Amino acid sequence: VAVKGLAELGQIPGMGSLGGDAPTNVRRTKVYDHILIDRLTTQEFTGRAGVLDLQQLLGVDEATERSISDHLPVWAEFYPYEAPPSRSSRP
């Protein structure tokens, strides 16, 4: 499945956007930002990712949020170690 909005980059097999189609601009109308991984080789991703809502998190209004940036922060959680190779890949 191609990642929307990434043109040729989204056509790479295994390419995944951890934020998906969640809006990342302050007005919450467009997807500006992604954290991209190769889902075929990346095993460290915990499955937790998202977009921080600064208005809710910090209790600021949209104008204040926009004065910081018109992009919302995206985040993803990874294990601090590499996953061991699967049994099927062992000689």
Side-chain angles (χ1 to χ4, degrees):
V1 176
V3 179
K4 279 182 16 182
L6 293 181
E8 292 85 11
L9 189 59
Q11 300 297 318
I12 297 172
M15 181 64 62
S17 174
L18 302 185
D21 293 330
T24 60
N25 67 322
V26 170
R27 295 187 189 273
R28 289 143 181 92
T29 57
K30 297 179 182 178
V31 180
Y32 285 168
D33 305 290
H34 297 271
I35 297 175
L36 300 175
I37 63 168
D38 180 344
R39 292 190 185 272
L40 301 176
T41 62
T42 304
Q43 298 177 21
E44 301 82 12
F45 178 53
T46 66
R48 297 186 59 206
V51 178
L52 293 179
D53 184 335
L54 297 181
Q55 290 182 33
Q56 182 180 29
L57 186 66
L58 302 176
V60 298
D61 60 17
E62 185 180 317
T64 302
E65 190 176 43
R66 226 176 313 122
S67 73
I68 297 168
S69 176
D70 63 337
H71 296 246
L72 296 173
V74 293
W75 65 274
E77 181 180 79
F78 295 86
Y79 293 112
Y81 49 85
E82 289 188 39
S86 67
R87 292 179 192 256
S88 62
S89 67
R90 293 183 184 159

